Amino acid sequence: MENKKETQEILNKKELCLLFSWNPKKSRWIAEEYKEACLKVKNGEKYLIRDWKCGRKNEIEEETEVFIIKVGEEPKGIIGHGHIKKVPDKKNEEDKKWWVDIEFDKLLDYENEKILKTEDLIDKLSEQNWETGIENPGTKIKETVVPRLRKMWNKLINGEEYSKEPDYGDEEKNMRKKEFDKNIIFYGPPGTGKTYTTAKRAVEICKTESEKELTDYSEIMKKYNELKKKNRIEFITFHQSYGYEEFIEGIKPIVLNEDDESEDESENNQESKTNIKIENDIKYDIVDGIFKKFCDNARKAIIETDNNNDNNDNNDNNDIPLEAIVWKVTVRGEVREDCFNNNRVRIDWNFDDAGAVGFVEEVKKGDIIITTDGSRTKINGIAVVIDDKGYILAGEERDTTTRSVKWLAKNINENIKNINKEKMLHRRTVARVPNMKVEDIIKLAKEKNQKELSKIVIKENKEPYVFIIDEINRGNISKIFGELITLIETTKRSGEGKKECISTKLPYSKEEFTVPDNVYIIGTMNTADRSIALMDTALRRRFKFEEMLPNYDLLEDIFVEDEGVKVNIGAMLKVINERIEYLYDREHTIGHAVFLELKENNNIDKLENIFKKSVIPLLQEYFYEDYEKIRIVLGDNAKDEDEQFILAVSIPKDIFEGDIGDIDIPEKKYIINYDNFKNIMTYKNISQKKDLSKKISDE
């Protein structure tokens, strides 16, 4: 229980804005005292009122923002604003009456000044309930409402001119739209749309669309998948076996074959062939994990080129994309000068040979080719590929397989081990160079060919990248993140102007590693999962939390009708969840997503299937097969037998033989009556006090 309580405190510990109600007829803070307080505030003083009753305790912090709403007689509405200065004693478990001190920075004389009237609040901020429920001292104002409420308040207090947003330029407006939390976790019961929301938020972060513009599900997923293909978004799921090696880096055994060669061979004998088969030999290589690869990709520099003065017709678009790959190609000395003079790279493989497939098909337009004469440490040319596929060079007997390129540097003799993590190049004619960064080889080209490449600019990549971790609480955070748990903090990241940036030396590769500032981490967490109580405290401190609860509005237009009887699915789910909240807690409610498939097929058969395969099993898990509570949740205790999901059958006294002693025999046994799932009244009579055939908004 203590783990659960501690977890809930952490989850709720985010920026709160509370609404306190005040009724002059019932409060000990009478109208006359209020008028005195208004005068003091008008004169520039701040007014402190002590011991205001509060219905919250653990989540309240000092400086929590507060609005005061007048209730009771007209005029009704928001009349004051301030902050909490003293919080309840959280350690005193016996103290059942919680009190706070509130310091007001603004109070309005409701008899002589305009206030934010309740009717206007209902009209413009309809998501919040401004009439019922606010008697509870310290009602939480929804996070979606708070910014607009502040704007309305500022407009009232400071006038139209003050409240208008500054006229930002288009570029700055887009940047402002991208101000999202770097590390955030969406948490809530199962079926509340957490995974879908991560996709939507990821597209918001990577694009310039606002949340309101992203409403069509298919369009969101189309953009999401496009960004995923560009490696701007990555999605993984944590589980109990997930580790540091998969996430950051680890060692991986590699079985060598006759084409491979150990890295510690000397330069002099590396090209000699051997008849000894080494295909059963094993070496161990350091392999980057998925998060490290993602961060390295996010920090790839942007290479900007100016092609306006380029007279070569083949070089109409020589920009180097972020996803560019560096390739090593061995070019024979007999054709090297021809390649340099005619903007091409030729290899001595037939076009259809297996060894030429990578060169012809896999090398993409915009990739970088470094050329050698067979050396594994020194290069003699650097080029950017300008065509989409290879071709056969006509009129030649050898080296006919060709790619068109633009040479950035040629006839050089440069050792590149220092920009290749001190590794040698592969012996194969065509091979990727995975350890070399594009920006490093471009810098080298600029050094060797400054005059022609002066217009190439290497800029820091500030495009946002989103890393999504589903079920983040199911992984062993210490085991997975290791030393990177500190590096993901917003202030500790690398990037322009980051003074507190921290790097760490990775244990296997010994590389200095940082997390780029343009990487956003989004996690999802199912609050019904028991592993939430074991969530790492270090992770909690470094993430913001955004709660996701069942959204009944998404179901309000979904009705299931059978034999002339209608059931509103949203109203039905709301009743079920209200009962679950009282019998268990709100973290174990049932999400709206479970019923969304009824939008397309809203018949009794589909509803029956949902209850059989989703709702009943979920309730069995929640209540540990305490069927009496499940019956109460579904209203079976007040229904006729032919309308009950679960029947409670008395156990006959003669069912057991002989003396059963002190054995505790239950009075009833419970039977799930699947035949009743086909009866529409079974669903309608989940609540007999409320009309479940009406929309939620009509209640």
Side-chain angles (χ1 to χ4, degrees), residues 486-504:
T486 301
L487 273 59
I488 66 172
E489 289 184 37
T490 304
T491 56
K492 304 298 188 294
R493 294 173 176 231
S494 63
E496 190 177 326
K498 291 288 181 179
K499 296 180 181 178
E500 296 181 44
C501 171
I502 290 180
S503 66
T504 186

Side-chain angles (χ1 to χ4, degrees), residues 641-655:
E641 271 197 15
D642 61 347
E643 297 172 358
Q644 295 177 14
F645 292 98
I646 299 171
L647 301 177
V649 180
S650 297
I651 298 177
K653 293 181 180 179
D654 59 353
I655 193 71

Side-chain angles (χ1 to χ4, degrees), residues 233-268:
I233 294 175
E234 188 60 73
F235 180 97
I236 63 168
T237 302
F238 276 179
H239 50 80
Q240 289 87 342
S241 300
Y242 209 88
Y244 185 89
E245 289 74 15
E246 292 91 353
F247 196 63
I248 310 299
E249 67 172 17
I251 54 174
K252 178 182 177 183
I254 297 175
V255 179
L256 298 174
N257 56 47
E258 65 270 16
D259 292 323
D260 292 312
E261 198 168 318
S262 63
E263 294 291 349
D264 58 358
E265 275 189 297
S266 67
E267 181 83 10
N268 294 328

Side-chain angles (χ1 to χ4, degrees), residues 207-221:
K207 293 281 192 177
T208 57
E209 291 94 334
S210 67
E211 187 172 355
K212 289 182 179 178
E213 292 171 322
L214 293 169
T215 54
D216 184 72
Y217 176 77
S218 58
E219 186 63 25
I220 290 168
M221 295 314 297

Side-chain angles (χ1 to χ4, degrees), residues 252-459:
K252 178 182 177 183
I254 297 175
V255 179
L256 298 174
N257 56 47
E258 65 270 16
D259 292 323
D260 292 312
E261 198 168 318
S262 63
E263 294 291 349
D264 58 358
E265 275 189 297
S266 67
E267 181 83 10
N268 294 328
N269 68 3
Q270 66 186 358
E271 296 300 318
S272 62
K273 299 272 185 178
T274 175
N275 293 322
I276 301 173
K277 291 187 178 180
I278 55 173
E279 56 191 15
N280 293 324
D281 287 357
I282 295 177
K283 73 171 185 177
Y284 290 89
D285 201 4
I286 298 168
V287 179
D288 290 341
I290 191 165
F291 185 68
K292 183 174 183 292
K293 283 181 185 175
F294 188 79
C295 288
D296 287 343
N297 192 49
R299 78 173 93 250
K300 282 182 179 177
I302 296 172
I303 315 297
E304 290 187 350
T305 61
D306 185 351
N307 301 318
N308 294 333
N309 299 321
D310 196 338
N311 295 320
N312 189 332
D313 293 337
N314 291 326
N315 298 341
D316 57 341
N317 184 7
N318 299 325
D319 288 338
I320 301 169
L322 282 169
E323 61 271 19
I325 295 170
V326 180
W327 297 83
K328 168 258 180 184
V329 177
T330 301
V331 176
R332 292 196 313 124
E334 289 85 340
V335 299
R336 184 171 64 244
E337 285 305 313
D338 171 75
C339 290
F340 287 160
N341 294 333
N342 294 289
N343 287 315
R344 57 196 180 205
V345 173
R346 298 164 59 183
I347 60 171
D348 195 21
W349 286 84
N350 293 325
F351 190 82
D352 296 324
D353 287 348
V357 171
F359 184 69
V360 173
E361 300 283 347
E362 295 178 19
V363 177
K364 302 298 182 185
K365 184 177 181 179
D367 282 353
I368 301 296
I369 289 178
I370 56 176
T371 57
T372 77
D373 58 3
S375 170
R376 294 180 62 196
T377 57
K378 292 181 180 180
I379 63 171
N380 51 39
I382 303 169
V384 57
V385 180
I386 62 171
D387 63 353
D388 293 314
K389 286 189 176 181
Y391 61 93
I392 298 173
L393 186 64
E396 299 289 341
E397 292 184 5
R398 294 185 63 179
D399 307 279
T400 56
T401 302
T402 311
R403 293 301 296 260
S404 296
V405 301
K406 177 183 177 181
W407 289 101
L408 304 178
K410 48 192 178 184
N411 288 314
I412 61 175
N413 184 27
E414 189 70 24
N415 191 313
I416 45 76
K417 281 187 75 174
N418 62 323
I419 60 172
N420 195 36
K421 295 185 179 178
E422 297 302 321
K423 293 179 181 283
M424 291 193 293
L425 299 170
H426 206 285
R427 194 184 70 182
R428 290 174 182 159
T429 300
V430 179
R432 291 179 184 236
V433 189
N435 299 309
M436 191 176 292
K437 295 178 181 178
V438 172
E439 57 263 38
D440 288 339
I441 198 68
I442 296 298
K443 283 177 185 175
L444 176 60
K446 286 189 72 173
E447 289 173 11
K448 299 299 178 183
N449 192 9
Q450 182 62 42
K451 186 176 179 181
E452 290 188 30
L453 302 183
S454 59
K455 291 181 180 178
I456 290 182
V457 179
I458 302 173
K459 294 176 66 176

Side-chain angles (χ1 to χ4, degrees), residues 73-118:
E73 296 179 355
E74 293 289 350
K76 295 188 288 187
I78 291 180
I79 56 173
H81 176 271
H83 295 84
I84 289 176
K85 290 298 176 183
K86 189 191 80 173
V87 300
D89 184 359
K90 298 177 183 179
K91 295 181 181 178
N92 189 351
E93 296 292 339
E94 296 178 0
D95 185 8
K96 301 301 179 186
K97 293 182 179 180
W98 305 325
W99 311 92
V100 295
D101 291 354
I102 301 175
E103 184 179 76
F104 294 103
D105 50 45
K106 197 66 184 176
L107 287 171
L108 299 175
D109 182 351
Y110 56 86
E111 289 183 346
N112 301 303
E113 294 180 281
K114 286 184 178 180
I115 65 173
L116 284 184
K117 290 189 176 181
T118 299

